[in-house]
Amino acid sequence: MKKIHVVLLIYDYLNKQRSININDIADMANCSKRTAIRYINDIREYFSVFHINKEIVYDRQKKSFILRSC
């Protein structure tokens, strides 16, 4: 799967009030866990550069990432 498709899929998944963990991303994209983390960081950077009032945070209880408004 192309990187842009994976990044958009992650964002869409999070935007629908779901949580997602690194293993799910790695399995979905057929990539390493490190690459999955890079995808999350790409979305975070996008939010920062374009001043979007959202952030991706890691929920330690769920052991997954969630999207929240700032």
Side-chain angles (χ1 to χ4, degrees), residues 3 7-8 10-11 22-23 26 28-29 31-32 35-36 40 42 45-46 55-56 59-62 66 68:
K3 177 182 177 178
V7 170
L8 288 172
I10 294 167
Y11 176 73
I22 291 300
N23 291 326
M28 173 182 59
C31 66
S32 69
T35 299
I40 292 290
D42 287 343
E45 183 178 351
Y46 173 79
E55 65 180 345
I56 297 175
D59 184 332
R60 291 179 188 259
Q61 289 180 327
K62 294 181 181 180
I66 59 172
R68 76 175 179 197

Short mmCIF file of all heavy atoms in Angstrom, two decimals, residues 3 7-8 10-11 22-23 26 28-29 31-32 35-36 40 42 45-46 55-56 59-62 66 68:
data_model
loop_
_atom_site.label_atom_id
_atom_site.label_comp_id
_atom_site.label_asym_id
_atom_site.label_seq_id
_atom_site.Cartn_x
_atom_site.Cartn_y
_atom_site.Cartn_z
N LYS A 3 2.31 4.97 0.79
CA LYS A 3 2.38 5.70 2.04
C LYS A 3 1.21 6.65 2.21
O LYS A 3 0.59 6.71 3.29
CB LYS A 3 3.70 6.48 2.10
CG LYS A 3 3.83 7.34 3.34
CD LYS A 3 5.11 8.13 3.36
CE LYS A 3 5.17 9.02 4.57
NZ LYS A 3 6.42 9.77 4.64
N VAL A 7 -1.37 6.75 5.41
CA VAL A 7 -1.50 7.93 6.26
C VAL A 7 -2.94 8.43 6.29
O VAL A 7 -3.49 8.73 7.34
CB VAL A 7 -0.51 9.03 5.81
CG1 VAL A 7 -0.80 10.35 6.53
CG2 VAL A 7 0.92 8.59 6.05
N LEU A 8 -3.56 8.48 5.12
CA LEU A 8 -4.97 8.92 5.07
C LEU A 8 -5.90 7.93 5.76
O LEU A 8 -6.86 8.34 6.42
CB LEU A 8 -5.40 9.14 3.62
CG LEU A 8 -4.80 10.37 2.94
CD1 LEU A 8 -5.14 10.37 1.45
CD2 LEU A 8 -5.27 11.64 3.60
N ILE A 10 -5.11 6.00 8.31
CA ILE A 10 -4.90 6.19 9.76
C ILE A 10 -5.67 7.42 10.23
O ILE A 10 -6.38 7.36 11.24
CB ILE A 10 -3.40 6.34 10.08
CG1 ILE A 10 -2.65 5.06 9.80
CG2 ILE A 10 -3.21 6.78 11.54
CD1 ILE A 10 -1.14 5.22 9.78
N TYR A 11 -5.53 8.52 9.50
CA TYR A 11 -6.23 9.75 9.88
C TYR A 11 -7.74 9.53 9.87
O TYR A 11 -8.44 9.93 10.81
CB TYR A 11 -5.85 10.90 8.96
CG TYR A 11 -6.64 12.14 9.26
CD1 TYR A 11 -6.39 12.88 10.40
CD2 TYR A 11 -7.67 12.56 8.43
CE1 TYR A 11 -7.13 14.01 10.71
CE2 TYR A 11 -8.41 13.68 8.73
CZ TYR A 11 -8.14 14.40 9.86
OH TYR A 11 -8.88 15.51 10.16
N ILE A 22 0.01 0.53 17.17
CA ILE A 22 1.09 0.38 16.20
C ILE A 22 1.02 -0.96 15.48
O ILE A 22 1.25 -1.04 14.27
CB ILE A 22 2.46 0.57 16.89
CG1 ILE A 22 2.63 2.02 17.32
CG2 ILE A 22 3.61 0.14 16.00
CD1 ILE A 22 2.59 3.01 16.17
N ASN A 23 0.66 -2.01 16.19
CA ASN A 23 0.57 -3.33 15.56
C ASN A 23 -0.50 -3.35 14.48
O ASN A 23 -0.31 -3.96 13.42
CB ASN A 23 0.29 -4.42 16.60
CG ASN A 23 1.47 -4.64 17.51
OD1 ASN A 23 2.62 -4.52 17.10
ND2 ASN A 23 1.18 -4.94 18.76
N ALA A 26 0.91 -1.47 11.47
CA ALA A 26 1.94 -2.28 10.81
C ALA A 26 1.32 -3.43 10.02
O ALA A 26 1.74 -3.72 8.89
CB ALA A 26 2.93 -2.80 11.84
N MET A 28 -1.84 -3.58 8.83
CA MET A 28 -2.64 -3.01 7.75
C MET A 28 -1.77 -2.59 6.58
O MET A 28 -2.12 -2.79 5.42
CB MET A 28 -3.43 -1.82 8.29
CG MET A 28 -4.18 -1.02 7.28
SD MET A 28 -5.02 0.40 8.01
CE MET A 28 -3.66 1.31 8.71
N ALA A 29 -0.62 -1.96 6.88
CA ALA A 29 0.24 -1.41 5.84
C ALA A 29 1.35 -2.37 5.41
O ALA A 29 2.12 -2.05 4.51
CB ALA A 29 0.86 -0.12 6.34
N CYS A 31 4.06 -3.14 7.08
CA CYS A 31 5.31 -2.42 7.31
C CYS A 31 5.80 -2.73 8.73
O CYS A 31 5.13 -3.40 9.50
CB CYS A 31 5.09 -0.92 7.14
SG CYS A 31 4.01 -0.17 8.36
N SER A 32 6.96 -2.19 9.05
CA SER A 32 7.51 -2.38 10.39
C SER A 32 6.81 -1.46 11.39
O SER A 32 6.15 -0.49 11.00
CB SER A 32 9.02 -2.08 10.40
OG SER A 32 9.23 -0.69 10.20
N THR A 35 8.13 2.08 11.02
CA THR A 35 7.50 2.81 9.92
C THR A 35 6.11 3.28 10.32
O THR A 35 5.71 4.40 9.99
CB THR A 35 7.45 1.94 8.65
OG1 THR A 35 8.79 1.60 8.28
CG2 THR A 35 6.77 2.65 7.51
N ALA A 36 5.38 2.47 11.05
CA ALA A 36 4.05 2.86 11.53
C ALA A 36 4.14 4.10 12.42
O ALA A 36 3.32 5.01 12.32
CB ALA A 36 3.40 1.70 12.27
N ILE A 40 2.47 8.03 11.97
CA ILE A 40 1.81 8.84 13.02
C ILE A 40 2.50 10.20 13.13
O ILE A 40 1.84 11.24 13.21
CB ILE A 40 1.84 8.10 14.38
CG1 ILE A 40 0.95 6.86 14.36
CG2 ILE A 40 1.45 9.04 15.53
CD1 ILE A 40 -0.53 7.13 14.32
N ASP A 42 4.14 11.77 10.83
CA ASP A 42 3.82 12.57 9.64
C ASP A 42 2.50 13.32 9.82
O ASP A 42 2.39 14.48 9.45
CB ASP A 42 3.75 11.69 8.39
CG ASP A 42 5.10 11.22 7.92
OD1 ASP A 42 6.13 11.80 8.31
OD2 ASP A 42 5.13 10.24 7.13
N GLU A 45 3.03 16.14 12.29
CA GLU A 45 3.73 17.26 11.66
C GLU A 45 2.77 18.08 10.79
O GLU A 45 2.82 19.30 10.79
CB GLU A 45 4.89 16.75 10.81
CG GLU A 45 5.69 17.86 10.19
CD GLU A 45 6.88 17.36 9.39
OE1 GLU A 45 7.19 16.16 9.45
OE2 GLU A 45 7.48 18.18 8.68
N TYR A 46 1.90 17.40 10.07
CA TYR A 46 0.90 18.09 9.26
C TYR A 46 0.04 19.00 10.12
O TYR A 46 -0.19 20.16 9.78
CB TYR A 46 0.05 17.06 8.52
CG TYR A 46 -1.12 17.67 7.78
CD1 TYR A 46 -0.94 18.29 6.55
CD2 TYR A 46 -2.40 17.64 8.33
CE1 TYR A 46 -2.00 18.86 5.87
CE2 TYR A 46 -3.46 18.20 7.67
CZ TYR A 46 -3.27 18.81 6.44
OH TYR A 46 -4.33 19.39 5.78
N GLU A 55 -4.62 16.84 17.82
CA GLU A 55 -3.35 16.18 18.10
C GLU A 55 -3.58 14.69 18.28
O GLU A 55 -4.66 14.26 18.70
CB GLU A 55 -2.68 16.79 19.33
CG GLU A 55 -3.42 16.59 20.62
CD GLU A 55 -2.72 17.20 21.82
OE1 GLU A 55 -1.53 17.55 21.73
OE2 GLU A 55 -3.37 17.32 22.86
N ILE A 56 -2.57 13.95 17.95
CA ILE A 56 -2.61 12.50 18.16
C ILE A 56 -1.84 12.23 19.43
O ILE A 56 -0.68 12.62 19.56
CB ILE A 56 -1.98 11.75 16.98
CG1 ILE A 56 -2.78 12.01 15.70
CG2 ILE A 56 -1.93 10.25 17.28
CD1 ILE A 56 -2.17 11.40 14.46
N ASP A 59 -2.64 6.83 24.35
CA ASP A 59 -3.41 6.48 25.54
C ASP A 59 -2.76 5.24 26.17
O ASP A 59 -2.82 4.15 25.60
CB ASP A 59 -4.87 6.19 25.15
CG ASP A 59 -5.76 5.92 26.34
OD1 ASP A 59 -5.26 5.44 27.38
OD2 ASP A 59 -6.97 6.18 26.23
N ARG A 60 -2.11 5.44 27.29
CA ARG A 60 -1.37 4.34 27.92
C ARG A 60 -2.29 3.21 28.42
O ARG A 60 -1.88 2.06 28.44
CB ARG A 60 -0.52 4.86 29.07
CG ARG A 60 0.63 5.71 28.59
CD ARG A 60 1.45 6.23 29.77
NE ARG A 60 2.44 7.18 29.33
CZ ARG A 60 3.72 6.89 29.17
NH1 ARG A 60 4.14 5.68 29.42
NH2 ARG A 60 4.56 7.81 28.76
N GLN A 61 -3.49 3.55 28.82
CA GLN A 61 -4.42 2.51 29.28
C GLN A 61 -4.85 1.60 28.14
O GLN A 61 -4.90 0.39 28.29
CB GLN A 61 -5.64 3.14 29.94
CG GLN A 61 -5.35 3.78 31.27
CD GLN A 61 -6.58 4.40 31.89
OE1 GLN A 61 -7.44 4.91 31.19
NE2 GLN A 61 -6.65 4.38 33.21
N LYS A 62 -5.18 2.21 27.01
CA LYS A 62 -5.61 1.44 25.84
C LYS A 62 -4.44 0.92 25.01
O LYS A 62 -4.62 0.08 24.14
CB LYS A 62 -6.49 2.30 24.93
CG LYS A 62 -7.81 2.69 25.53
CD LYS A 62 -8.61 3.51 24.54
CE LYS A 62 -9.93 3.94 25.10
NZ LYS A 62 -10.70 4.74 24.13
N ILE A 66 -4.99 8.00 19.91
CA ILE A 66 -6.31 8.60 19.74
C ILE A 66 -6.13 10.02 19.19
O ILE A 66 -5.06 10.61 19.37
CB ILE A 66 -7.14 8.62 21.04
CG1 ILE A 66 -6.40 9.39 22.14
CG2 ILE A 66 -7.50 7.22 21.48
CD1 ILE A 66 -7.23 9.63 23.39
N ARG A 68 -7.45 13.89 19.40
CA ARG A 68 -8.25 14.78 20.24
C ARG A 68 -8.07 16.22 19.78
O ARG A 68 -7.04 16.58 19.21
CB ARG A 68 -7.92 14.61 21.72
CG ARG A 68 -6.65 15.22 22.16
CD ARG A 68 -6.50 15.09 23.66
NE ARG A 68 -5.23 15.68 24.02
CZ ARG A 68 -4.61 15.50 25.14
NH1 ARG A 68 -5.14 14.71 26.05
NH2 ARG A 68 -3.46 16.08 25.39
#
